Amino acid sequence: MELNKKRYIDLDTHYKIKYGKKIIKLPLDGGFTCPNRDGTIDTRGCIFCSDMGAGEWTYKSAGDIKDQIGYQKQKLAKPGRDEGYIAYFQNFTNTYGDVNKMRQMFFDAIRQDDIVGLSIATRADCLADEVLALLEELNKETDLTVELGMQSVNNETLDFINRGYSHETFDMGLQKLYELGIEVTVHIIVGFPGESISDYLNDIAYINYRGIAGVKIHNLYIENNSYLKYFYEFNNITYTMTLDEYTDIVIAMLRHLNPETIVMRLTGDGIREQIAYPDWSKNKGKVLATIDKKMKDGDYRQGDLWIT
């Protein structure tokens, strides 16, 4: 069913089929940190991560979780439209820290009006037993999705980006969630130095093999206040991937992806003023339109090269 005339299963279509109405994800800041920032593993964070820990669209200044939900509803809702909302704990590592704090915030969120589900972004190495018990409880109460930053299955890339744990550790964390019947979405980043189409198709092959429910594909964009920008400039590395190259790679990934996997994102979503390069990534609409046009012109569809 192609409600949005896409040749892949986009998130908006998935939600409309599942809930029968428009569903909006409300980005929330739970005030968590990350073991890759607080000194437990490192203090620099992942090399691509900004000071806000991917929370550029959250508004902690709006207050506690209830107030943030109210603020985001007011900001993102469309008057007169039948809507529901996903409480999305987006930035940093939302299963790292005080479990009692997590419990209070997560349950506060799902008890708000018109909240139909909960999405929690975290690291696969931050799934302690008490956290898993809480996630299992939440999964019985609401439509729960856990988002894991996979980035790549190539361990050399993971070392380069300073993620702090291997793909094998990622896989173990994923399987812990699967054992509890929790739906998982993973993030992939396209554009790291040294990676090629074979790496990106290996990422897709892993997603297919593990039957992962959803995927977010991001282009690498370099923010002004990130360690990655310093690294590129210090080592005299030039960002060379063009819009055409990126969209061709994404289309190849989509064509090899299980046709039932939900495509939750196909481009990065940073704040324009903070993106140093590539300049084309500042125009999200153009990136998506280019993918759509190329897929239509080539008569390509998600999964048309998928091999079971």
Side-chain angles (χ1 to χ4, degrees), residues 199-218:
D199 292 290
Y200 308 131
L201 294 183
N202 284 341
D203 295 338
I204 295 299
Y206 173 76
I207 289 169
N208 291 339
Y209 168 66
R210 283 299 184 204
I212 292 168
V215 60
K216 288 186 173 183
I217 301 174
H218 301 247

Side-chain angles (χ1 to χ4, degrees), residues 8 11 31 36 48 54 68 74 108 189 205 231 245 252 267 287-288:
Y8 53 89
L11 183 60
N36 213 15
F48 57 84
Q68 288 187 48
Q74 186 177 30
D108 279 350
I189 296 179
F231 181 88
E245 289 170 336
T267 182
V287 177
L288 296 176

Side-chain angles (χ1 to χ4, degrees), residues 55-75:
E56 282 78 6
W57 303 107
T58 61
Y59 292 88
K60 188 177 180 181
S61 60
D64 65 15
I65 293 304
K66 296 177 187 178
D67 290 336
Q68 288 187 48
I69 288 174
Y71 176 87
Q72 293 284 20
K73 279 184 180 180
Q74 186 177 30
K75 185 172 184 290

Side-chain angles (χ1 to χ4, degrees), residues 120-166:
I120 299 172
T122 192
R123 291 165 58 98
D125 62 341
C126 291
L127 296 169
D129 288 345
E130 60 270 26
V131 168
L132 291 169
L134 173 59
L135 294 176
E136 183 178 25
E137 185 179 351
L138 288 162
N139 197 40
K140 294 174 182 177
E141 295 288 331
T142 191
D143 185 2
L144 174 66
T145 300
V146 173
E147 294 194 4
L148 299 177
M150 185 175 84
Q151 287 88 38
S152 175
V153 300
N154 185 329
N155 277 322
E156 290 185 6
T157 298
L158 300 180
D159 287 342
F160 165 73
I161 67 175
N162 194 47
R163 193 179 73 175
Y165 65 100
S166 68

Side-chain angles (χ1 to χ4, degrees), residues 37 49-56 91-92 223 225-227 274:
R37 287 176 177 265
C49 196
S50 69
D51 289 343
M52 296 192 68
E56 282 78 6
N91 54 330
F92 296 112
E223 295 190 313
N225 58 345
S226 68
Y227 182 77
Q274 295 180 6

